[in-house]
Amino acid sequence: MKIIVQRVAKASVSVNNELVSSIGKGLCLLVGIGRYDTMKEMEYMVRKVLNLRVFEDDNGKRWNKSVKDRQLEVLCVSQFTLMCSLKGNKPDYHDSMGPDLSQQFYNNFLAKLREAYDADKVKDGRFGAYMSVNIENDGPVTIPLEITPSRPKSPQEKEPELEHKID
């Protein structure tokens, strides 16, 4: 799982010139889901994102508060292209989770964020849509987060399925 975390003054997502979501000051997350990601990776990323200290405190001390500490907003954008590898000059996405499981995984990620924080402060784009993402980076501060799950040892082992479904 890969997430590009951007501290933003504001951010928004539109689809076909229609505003889908927007936030003020907070974090914009570009979320890539890997083919072998499980709930373990998801839960790690939720904790890491919500506790990442990229904001200043009330005394102006930098790198001292998290989005959760400051009660700011989070905008999540699914972005399978983060799982890209290159074959020459051509992007290859064999490391991304297939469309049959990735939407459920992404929705579970959103649900976990909302459960661990404040559901009203966590927004998202439109999964699988061609989105226009507007990000006004604050700083600029951009932090890549990545956790690599264990791959199955042999081709006979099944790819992991989601262990827990959140409705």
Side-chain angles (χ1 to χ4, degrees):
M1 191 167 187
K2 293 180 186 178
I3 298 179
I4 302 299
V5 178
Q6 295 194 309
R7 187 177 73 188
V8 298
K10 62 183 176 181
S12 64
V13 175
S14 297
V15 176
N16 296 324
N17 294 320
E18 174 193 335
L19 182 65
V20 174
S21 289
S22 66
I23 64 168
K25 189 172 181 78
L27 297 177
C28 182
L29 310 179
L30 306 176
V31 181
I33 302 167
R35 122 188 266 168
Y36 300 107
D37 286 334
T38 67
M39 293 298 286
K40 178 181 172 186
E41 287 78 31
M42 179 193 303
E43 290 168 352
Y44 170 84
M45 288 299 220
V46 166
R47 281 191 311 275
K48 193 56 93 173
V49 163
L50 292 177
N51 294 298
L52 188 63
R53 296 187 310 172
V54 294
F55 296 97
E56 61 185 38
D57 63 21
D58 293 335
N59 298 320
K61 184 175 179 186
R62 291 181 167 189
W63 314 108
N64 206 32
K65 295 290 181 181
S66 69
V67 71
K68 199 172 175 179
D69 294 334
R70 297 287 311 272
Q71 292 294 296
L72 301 174
E73 296 176 293
V74 178
L75 176 62
C76 297
V77 179
S78 63
Q79 191 165 349
F80 80 96
T81 60
L82 286 176
M83 303 311 293
C84 172
S85 59
L86 293 178
K87 291 193 173 186
N89 291 322
K90 183 178 180 188
D92 181 272
Y93 301 105
H94 75 274
D95 285 334
S96 64
M97 186 177 283
D100 52 332
L101 293 177
S102 59
Q103 186 168 10
Q104 179 186 350
F105 192 95
Y106 179 73
N107 289 338
N108 287 349
F109 174 74
L110 289 171
K112 287 280 188 191
L113 271 176
R114 289 173 174 140
E115 181 183 300
Y117 184 35
D118 177 342
D120 294 332
K121 293 190 185 302
V122 177
K123 313 283 174 70
D124 70 301
R126 188 171 295 153
F127 187 90
Y130 189 87
M131 294 176 272
S132 175
V133 182
N134 294 299
I135 299 169
E136 187 176 312
N137 206 313
D138 180 24
V141 173
T142 302
I143 298 175
L145 299 177
E146 183 173 0
I147 183 169
T148 306
S150 300
R151 292 181 177 230
K153 293 178 175 57
S154 70
Q156 291 79 22
E157 291 183 59
K158 285 179 61 180
E159 290 183 19
E161 295 187 22
L162 296 180
E163 298 165 4
H164 304 289
K165 184 177 179 185
I166 299 172
D167 294 320

